[in-house]
Amino acid sequence: MFDETAAVPSGLHHRRFVAVPLTTDTAALDYASYMASPDVIRAHSDGRWPVEGFTLADDLKLVAKHQADHENRRAFTFVLLAPSLREALGCLYVNPLHEYLQRAGADRRLLGAVPPVSALVTFWLRQDQQDTGLADVVVETVNDWLLTAWPVATHMFRVLPDERSSCTALDRLDLRKTRLSLPGDTRPYIWYQPSA
């Protein structure tokens, strides 16, 4: 996804939240947040991520994969922590956009319009953090962070319509809203990109 020499931010600090790489050290906090958010997880994953019967051991396996991807610069997963660092508020994912579009069957025109070094950004916030204004803070802060601190040519946020707080927060920013025609992924994703 990135030139091996390009510096990737190690985290993000805001007065409302702290983003740090998701590792096995923060897995228990991540798991507690995930399990406290069944409706959010179902909406964010379109029902693909497990909730019932999902254990900390299951989460640790997934976290280890995210950690390896992060360390090897394939994809970047951050846990969003409260400023106290004692509880997780959600997760943020920065993945290679161009690779996703190729897998999803994007046509040559779309692939040509998206720079090879670009980011696909998704996130979810804990269920009790919906409608608290945190989504607005996260979206604005992360958008600025990607524009100023990341070695990417562009980025796009992706959400599903049922992610109400996230959609509302993205609608409030000065972003271009679009839908992409992707034969290999027919979910009704809404995409947001910084204005040129």
Side-chain angles (χ1 to χ4, degrees), residues 7-192:
V8 172
S10 59
L12 174 62
H13 292 263
H14 185 275
R15 63 180 182 79
R16 292 276 307 270
F17 72 93
V18 178
V20 299
L22 178 61
T23 67
T24 53
D25 291 339
T26 53
L29 296 176
D30 171 64
Y31 177 72
S33 179
Y34 184 101
M35 294 307 290
S37 309
D39 297 339
V40 166
I41 294 303
R42 284 187 199 98
H44 178 75
S45 70
D46 196 29
R48 292 173 297 149
W49 293 1
V51 177
E52 299 301 321
F54 188 64
T55 67
L56 178 56
D58 295 330
D59 193 46
L60 278 165
K61 289 177 195 168
L62 295 175
V63 168
K65 182 185 178 309
H66 285 308
Q67 185 173 349
D69 284 345
H70 198 114
E71 291 168 355
N72 290 294
R73 300 165 64 95
R74 290 186 294 260
F76 302 90
T77 302
F78 296 87
V79 61
L80 304 178
L81 300 175
S84 67
L85 308 182
R86 292 192 190 116
E87 62 179 354
L89 303 175
C91 274
L92 168 72
Y93 309 88
V94 181
N95 293 305
L97 175 58
H98 210 265
E99 290 173 27
Y100 165 78
L101 293 175
Q102 286 177 315
R103 285 194 313 273
D107 63 31
R108 200 172 295 167
R109 180 193 56 78
L110 177 56
L111 288 172
V114 174
V117 182
S118 51
L120 161 60
V121 185
T122 59
F123 70 98
W124 60 268
L125 298 176
R126 203 174 65 209
Q127 205 149 309
D128 65 0
Q129 295 299 313
Q130 302 297 306
D131 305 314
T132 64
L134 182 61
D136 299 88
V137 172
V138 168
V139 163
E140 184 174 0
T141 306
V142 168
N143 187 61
D144 289 345
W145 188 45
L146 287 156
L147 287 170
T148 60
W150 279 77
V152 294
T154 192
H155 65 274
M156 293 183 81
F157 288 91
R158 185 188 74 186
V159 291
L160 284 163
D162 286 346
E163 296 181 86
R164 288 185 312 96
S165 290
S166 300
C167 289
T168 300
L170 286 160
D171 282 336
R172 287 184 178 132
L173 268 189
D174 182 27
L175 301 172
R176 285 199 325 266
K177 181 179 180 179
T178 188
R179 290 188 188 265
L180 302 180
S181 177
L182 300 170
D185 196 339
T186 57
R187 291 178 183 87
Y189 288 127
I190 306 166
W191 297 82
Y192 294 81

